[in-house]
Amino acid sequence: MRLVAWERAEEAPRDLEDRFPGRWDPKRALDRPLRPLVAAVDALLAGREVHERCALILGVDDHHQPAAVRFAQALQAGRRLSPATFLGSLPSTPATTLSLLFQLKGYQATLDTRAQAGLQALAHAADLLALGRCEQVVVAALSRAGQGALGVAALLDARE
């Protein structure tokens, strides 16, 4: 197993949504906390071939909790809810978004273990590679850093 590359991002370029024609409606902005994560994975995979047996493992901390609280408050108040409001409150939404944007169709997992999420995602990825369940793994972690978000991504490859 080899670490091929890694990237991190605290901010995302303004044209981020435009980089995914046909996979994302550019009229809809990516959720603000997801932007650094998408930017990190975009930089990581730029110009790289991704194997069809590439897994995606995402570790998240509490980034989705503010959205979950807003969803619960709106539900309790009897306000009309949109599907986006519900989806934004789920810990698995970032991994689903990444798999759609980057066409990662293999194994996918979201680990939500608070402060240890990134390390748990890395350990899970190493196990997948060691067991031969995949050839490559994109390991990503999303964390709230201060008022913003921090996205980190790494590409591990069993073939090298």
Side-chain angles (χ1 to χ4, degrees), residues 10-105:
E10 293 181 42
E11 296 181 8
R14 290 183 183 205
D15 71 338
L16 186 63
E17 289 85 353
D18 297 331
R19 296 178 184 196
F20 306 102
R23 288 177 267 159
W24 190 258
D25 180 353
K27 295 176 187 164
R28 285 189 51 221
L30 287 163
D31 191 33
R32 187 173 163 254
L34 291 183
R35 291 178 61 78
L37 180 65
V38 172
V41 174
D42 187 45
L44 176 75
L45 297 179
R48 288 194 168 81
E49 286 284 325
V50 177
H51 193 276
E52 67 180 31
R53 291 187 60 212
C54 183
L56 170 64
I57 310 298
L58 178 65
V60 296
D61 62 9
D62 62 351
H63 89 280
H64 64 283
Q65 286 185 341
V69 169
R70 286 191 303 275
F71 175 75
Q73 290 170 339
L75 187 63
Q76 188 175 29
R79 292 193 299 260
R80 185 178 174 134
L81 300 171
S82 72
T85 304
F86 170 69
L87 291 174
S89 69
L90 300 175
S92 59
T93 295
T96 303
T97 302
L98 290 177
S99 67
L100 288 170
L101 294 179
F102 298 101
Q103 300 177 334
L104 300 169
K105 299 173 185 162

Side-chain angles (χ1 to χ4, degrees), residues 53 125-135 158:
R53 291 187 60 212
D127 285 345
L128 286 175
L129 292 170
L131 293 170
R133 301 239 351 241
C134 56
E135 299 288 330

